[in-house]
């Protein structure tokens, strides 16, 4: 089989430019800025690039030597990737233990041993979700899942290619084999995206098609010096590819099932860019070969390693959503990447420390990984866990209403209606409490205002399920939350049978609904309920913090148990919740027995939210849910407002 020209494996400056674009998209996506919400597709670009480059290296070796030196291949990968990874893990873990509270550090470093062994993608794929374990979603090493995918790809791909090289005696048959791998993996990815979205996103088999796509480009588009640089089809492919990549970053977001079919767009875009550059004087004629892009592309691995932990630590300290501090985090990440590349990555990769014997490098690498694992396990073992009493913040995290000790809320596991009932069947009056977890945080006011000696209290809750008649994509489970819609319809039927005298309901304001969806979806709910309940009280969602409340309090708590009231303050948190409150008022205004009870000024006086109240109570048990102690302490104020809302309206009201 004829081999591609040697220039296909020569230095490709345009590929470094493509790396630069990919890492910029990833970094800007992780800032939380909405303009590039789909910037996570930069990882897909990296996968296609890896498939192209690794296939080229392996092909060249087989052509030159007639075999693959597996030991040397894996040692090259270790030299390239391990030193900077170890440095990042060690420095980041130490910084987290120093900067965060004990429980925050323990929870957010949970994946560290897996990151050190390139298996964190397996950890994130198979871990059990816990709705109230919000800190787990801020894992400091979450970004290493893609490194795990790549390393597992490196383990199997040389064997796959060696088999194809041996049995494929023409380029066409080799492309056929790669095409089969592409199709099978893509179909698997599409199936898992629908049925097991976590596995689809994190597991290597559902990503093989992206690596195979890069391999297909290498085999199918060898550079041809005879092709002129101004060939319009090449420039069209390059432009189309860049538009597909950048367009995906702008259009896609976390509210779409991914990877699945959507991942084809940026992946094919990357393939077009690579192929076009290969036909433009091995990339030197591409606009991506600009020196600034090449410089950033050279440091893309180090920037990928460092930016996420720096962002997470910064966001954990409360700077998320603030433009200037976020820009500071970007610059700090770039500085860390420059230092890492200069003093760690490049010396071990291509410098004087890269010339040791392969066996020695392998043994030293394994020893370093073992030492790192021991250090990480030792450090984690001495940090307080979220389910122990060793850290005072756990008292606040577990301060929940009594309904969470009963099977009222099945979250996304099933759509069964399982009410929590208080009082007796013979009670003459019934009050129903309906909501998601943000609504349910107010439950303790119900038995205090509606005593069970007179009232039968029925609580109907489902976490992350808005009391709005609209379907929505739930990123945490990676799919449309159909169980929520089924449960909500069943609950409305149940309330029709109960015919309560009072119905109190509420849900979070953070659901990604448009103004029309909020108003129309709420109105459809109110229309059904207003025919069954005598009086309906709607509590708008509360504002949230941009950091973990208990963790912040624990960090700043003095030995005497005092805290500076300004240490855990989040300003300007009311704008969105006020918008949603007004949407609810517009929907409620259509029905005479539906009224909105706004309690947000109790939570965030003056529009500023604090983790601690003026009377010393911890307000938040995470970043968005209130402690039960705070709710109970405000019952007298809530009673006055609720009684006022339940009073009959005069014609002028």
């Amino acid at each position: 089989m004829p081999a591609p020209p040697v220039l296909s494996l020569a230095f490709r400056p345009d590929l470094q430019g493509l790396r630069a674009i990919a890492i910029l998209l990833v970094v800007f996506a992780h800032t939380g800025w909405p303009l590039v919400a789909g910037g996570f597709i930069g990882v897909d670009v990296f996968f296609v690039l890896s498939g192209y480059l690794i296939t080229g290296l392996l092909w060249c070796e087989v052509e030159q030597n007639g075999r693959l030196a597996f030991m040397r291949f894996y040692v090259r990968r270790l030299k390239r990737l391990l030193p900077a990874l170890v440095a990042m893990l060690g420095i980041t873990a130490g910084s987290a233990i120093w900067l965060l509270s004990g429980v925050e550090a323990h929870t957010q470093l949970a994946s560290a041993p897996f990151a050190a062994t390139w298996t964190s993608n397996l950890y994130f794929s198979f871990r059990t979700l816990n709705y109230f374990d919000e800190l787990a979603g801020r894992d400091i090493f979450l970004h290493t899942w893609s490194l795990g995918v790549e390393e597992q790809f490196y383990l199997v791909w040389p064997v796959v290619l060696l088999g194809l090289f041996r049995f494929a005696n023409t380029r066409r048959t080799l492309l056929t084999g790669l095409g089969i791998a592409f199709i099978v993996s893509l179909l698997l990815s599409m199936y898992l995206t629908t049925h097991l979205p976590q596995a689809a996103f994190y597991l290597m088999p559902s990503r093989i098609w992206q690596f195979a796509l890069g391999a297909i480009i290498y085999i199918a588009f060898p550079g041809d010096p005879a092709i002129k640089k101004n060939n319009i089809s090449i420039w069209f492919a390059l432009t189309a590819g860049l538009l597909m990549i950048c367009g995906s970053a702008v259009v896609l977001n976390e509210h779409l099932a991914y990877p699945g079919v959507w991942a084809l767009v940026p992946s094919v875009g990357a393939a077009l860019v690579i192929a076009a550059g290969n036909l433009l004087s091995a990339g030197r004629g591409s606009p991506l070969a600009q020196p600034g892009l090449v410089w950033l592309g050279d440091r893309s691995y180090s920037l990928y390693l460092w930016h996420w932990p720096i962002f997470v630590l910064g966001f954990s300290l409360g700077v998320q959503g603030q433009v200037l501090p976020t820009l500071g985090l970007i610059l700090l990440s770039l500085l860390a990447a420059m230092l890492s590349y200069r003093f760690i990555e490049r010396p071990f990769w291509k410098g004087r420390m890269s010339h040791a014997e392969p066996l020695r490098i392998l043994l030293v690498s394994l020893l370093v990984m073992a030492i790192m694992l021991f250090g990480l396990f030792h450090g984690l073992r001495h940090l307080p866990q979220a389910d122990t009493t060793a850290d005072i913040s756990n008292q606040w995290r577990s301060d929940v209403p009594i309904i969470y000790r009963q099977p009222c809320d099945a979250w996304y596991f099933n759509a069964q209606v399982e009410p929590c009932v208080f009082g007796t069947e013979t009670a003459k009056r019934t009050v129903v409490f309906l909501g998601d977890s943000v609504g349910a945080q107010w439950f303790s006011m119900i038995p205090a205002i509606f005593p069970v000696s007179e009232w039968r209290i029925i609580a109907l809750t489902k976490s992350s399920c808005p009391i709005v008649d609209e379907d929505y994509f739930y990123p945490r489970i990676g799919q449309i939350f159909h169980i929520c819609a089924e449960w909500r319809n069943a609950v409305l039927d149940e309330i029709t049978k109960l015919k309560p005298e009072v119905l109190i309901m509420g849900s979070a304001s953070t659901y990604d609904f448009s103004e029309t969806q909020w108003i129309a979806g709420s109105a459809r709910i109110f229309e059904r309920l207003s025919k069954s309940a005598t009086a309906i009280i709607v509590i708008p969602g509360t504002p949230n913090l941009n950091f973990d409340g208990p963790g912040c309090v624990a960090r700043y708590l003095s030995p005497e148990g005092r805290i500076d009231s300004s240490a855990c303050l989040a300003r300007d948190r009311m704008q969105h919740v006020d918008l949603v409150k007004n949407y609810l008022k517009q929907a409620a205004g259509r029905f005479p027995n539906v009224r909105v009870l706004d309690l947000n000024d109790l939570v965030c006086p003056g529009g500023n939210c604090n983790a601690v109240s003026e009377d010393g109570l911890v307000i938040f048990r995470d970043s968005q849910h209130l402690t039960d102690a705070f709710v109970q302490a405000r019952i007298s104020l809530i009673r006055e407002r609720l009684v006022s809302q339940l009073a009959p309206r005069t014609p002028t009201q």
Side-chain angles (χ1 to χ4, degrees):
M1 182 193 314
V6 175
L7 60 84
S8 293
L9 273 183
F11 176 70
R12 289 276 304 274
D14 66 313
L15 298 189
Q16 296 304 90
L18 184 57
R19 289 183 192 275
I21 290 177
I23 190 59
L24 285 174
L25 292 177
V26 170
V27 169
F28 287 130
H30 288 160
T31 63
W33 294 341
L35 182 61
V36 284
F40 54 79
I41 59 94
V43 173
D44 302 87
V45 175
F46 283 126
F47 288 163
V48 177
L49 266 170
S50 291
Y52 176 85
L53 293 170
I54 295 302
T55 300
L57 290 170
L58 294 172
W59 179 329
C60 245
E61 185 171 350
V62 170
E63 285 296 313
Q64 293 173 7
N65 305 322
R67 63 184 180 84
L68 286 179
F70 288 96
M71 170 79 78
R72 290 188 179 276
F73 172 78
Y74 294 125
V75 164
R76 286 197 301 268
R77 295 298 91 203
L78 287 170
K79 289 191 300 180
R80 175 74 174 86
L81 302 175
L82 184 62
L85 175 67
V86 168
M88 183 275 294
L89 291 173
I91 294 173
T92 299
S95 300
I97 293 171
W98 176 46
L99 292 172
L100 304 180
S101 68
V103 172
E104 285 178 295
H106 185 278
T107 306
Q108 294 180 235
L109 292 172
S111 67
F114 301 91
T117 54
W118 287 305
T119 56
S120 61
N121 63 315
L122 304 179
Y123 168 79
F124 293 120
S125 178
F126 296 113
R127 68 175 173 177
T128 302
L129 292 174
N130 181 337
Y131 177 75
F132 287 115
D133 192 4
E134 184 182 278
L135 290 176
R138 302 181 183 182
D139 195 291
I140 292 174
F141 301 124
L142 176 62
H143 66 312
T144 62
W145 74 268
S146 65
L147 305 182
V149 170
E150 291 222 20
E151 288 302 316
Q152 290 150 33
F153 161 73
Y154 297 149
L155 286 176
V156 303
W157 200 241
V159 178
V160 171
L161 283 184
L162 184 60
L164 288 175
F165 292 161
R166 291 283 171 85
F167 294 103
N169 54 9
T170 66
R171 179 173 287 132
R172 177 173 295 181
T173 53
L174 181 55
L175 286 171
T176 299
L178 292 172
I180 291 172
F182 172 87
I183 293 171
V184 170
S185 175
L186 178 59
L187 291 175
L188 175 65
S189 177
M190 293 167 63
Y191 173 82
L192 291 178
T193 299
T194 301
H195 297 88
L196 294 169
Q198 278 189 215
F201 193 87
Y202 291 119
L203 293 186
M204 184 268 293
S206 71
R207 298 286 189 162
I208 279 286
W209 65 271
Q210 294 174 303
F211 297 104
L213 179 59
I216 290 170
I217 295 302
Y218 181 84
I219 304 299
F221 294 94
D224 187 349
I227 298 178
K228 296 181 179 180
K229 294 195 327 183
N230 64 351
N231 188 312
I232 191 169
S233 61
I234 296 176
W235 287 99
F236 177 81
L238 178 62
T239 304
L242 289 173
L243 287 174
M244 293 171 75
I245 293 170
C246 297
S248 297
V250 174
V251 174
L252 301 183
N253 55 59
E254 65 174 358
H255 302 292
L256 296 170
Y258 203 84
V261 175
W262 287 111
L264 276 168
V265 181
S267 300
V268 172
L272 289 173
V273 172
I274 295 169
N278 201 33
L279 299 173
L280 289 172
S281 302
R284 289 176 174 80
S286 169
L288 294 179
Q290 298 300 316
L293 290 176
V294 173
W295 181 89
L296 184 60
D298 289 342
R299 291 151 183 81
S300 59
Y301 174 61
S302 282
L303 183 54
Y304 185 82
L305 281 180
W306 286 99
H307 84 280
W308 177 256
I310 288 174
F311 280 17
V312 172
L313 288 174
F315 292 165
S316 295
L317 297 177
V319 304
Q320 188 169 14
Q322 302 177 41
V323 176
L324 290 180
T326 301
L327 288 173
L329 295 180
I330 294 175
L331 293 176
L332 181 59
S333 302
L334 185 58
L335 176 61
M338 293 166 58
L339 295 174
S340 176
Y341 179 78
R342 172 67 178 83
F343 296 107
I344 302 172
E345 182 183 343
R346 189 169 179 81
F348 282 95
W349 176 27
K350 292 184 176 180
R352 58 186 178 83
M353 289 179 276
S354 66
H355 302 301
E357 289 295 318
L359 181 60
R360 178 177 297 179
I361 292 176
L362 178 63
L363 293 176
V364 170
S365 298
L366 293 175
L367 178 61
V368 168
M369 292 174 72
I371 293 173
M372 176 59 65
L373 278 175
F374 174 80
L376 291 171
F377 276 121
H378 180 75
L380 290 173
R381 189 164 57 89
H382 287 82
L383 290 173
Q385 300 182 33
D387 56 353
T388 69
T389 59
D391 191 290
I392 190 172
S393 68
N394 286 332
Q395 299 177 22
W396 307 317
R397 297 181 196 281
S398 59
D399 187 9
V400 297
I402 191 174
I403 54 175
Y404 287 108
R405 293 194 284 273
Q406 301 185 28
C408 304
D409 194 331
W411 191 16
Y412 72 96
F413 296 106
N414 63 65
Q416 297 175 17
V417 177
E418 298 178 337
C420 284
V421 181
F422 303 85
T424 64
E425 293 281 348
T426 57
K428 295 181 179 180
R429 312 173 80 182
T430 299
V431 56
V432 170
F433 188 85
L434 172 64
D436 63 1
S437 63
V438 171
Q441 67 191 355
W442 297 106
F443 175 78
S444 290
M445 74 179 189
I446 305 298
I449 299 174
F450 303 90
V452 293
S453 59
E454 303 175 21
W455 294 79
R456 184 181 180 219
I457 301 172
I458 300 175
L460 300 162
T461 71
K462 180 167 286 295
S463 296
S464 288
C465 185
I467 311 304
V468 179
D469 187 19
E470 296 283 349
D471 287 336
Y472 81 106
F473 185 87
Y474 186 15
R476 211 128 166 228
I477 62 174
Q479 55 188 298
I480 299 292
F481 199 179
H482 293 297
I483 283 177
C484 168
E486 295 171 14
W487 176 85
R488 191 169 52 227
N489 288 329
V491 160
L492 295 179
D493 291 338
E494 181 69 17
I495 294 173
T496 300
K497 300 174 186 176
L498 291 171
K499 297 189 181 303
E501 183 174 335
V502 177
L503 170 64
I504 298 176
M505 57 182 286
S507 53
S509 299
T510 52
Y511 298 106
D512 190 28
F513 296 140
S514 66
E515 176 180 352
T516 300
Q517 288 176 310
W518 273 112
I519 297 173
S522 298
R524 288 192 291 271
I525 297 289
F526 299 158
E527 184 176 13
R528 291 187 62 178
L529 293 176
S530 63
K531 298 173 183 177
S532 306
T534 305
I536 299 174
I537 301 296
V538 181
I539 303 177
T542 47
N544 52 22
L545 304 173
N546 54 353
F547 52 85
D548 179 69
C552 183
V553 176
R555 290 196 301 271
Y556 291 101
L557 196 66
S558 71
E560 298 78 25
R562 294 192 301 272
I563 182 173
D564 181 357
S565 60
S566 64
C568 298
L569 180 66
R571 300 183 185 277
D572 303 322
R573 308 300 295 173
M574 299 297 296
Q575 182 177 3
H576 181 71
V577 295
D578 282 343
L579 276 177
V580 174
K581 177 187 69 176
N582 290 331
Y583 300 154
L584 295 175
K585 284 185 174 180
Q586 290 182 54
R590 304 177 186 180
F591 308 93
N593 60 339
V594 180
R595 303 177 188 180
V596 174
L597 175 63
D598 184 10
L599 301 175
N600 285 334
D601 61 314
L602 301 180
V603 179
C604 300
N608 295 318
C609 302
N610 204 321
V612 182
S613 66
E614 292 183 354
D615 51 352
L617 286 173
V618 175
I619 299 175
F620 290 88
R621 65 176 189 263
D622 46 33
S623 70
Q624 60 179 328
H625 298 95
L626 305 178
T627 62
D628 197 48
F630 173 78
V631 172
Q632 293 194 43
R634 299 297 183 266
I635 286 176
S636 60
L637 297 174
I638 297 171
R639 178 185 284 109
E640 294 177 8
R641 301 185 184 191
L642 183 59
V643 169
S644 174
Q645 290 284 12
L646 290 174
R649 286 177 176 169
T650 65
T652 58
Q653 286 183 301

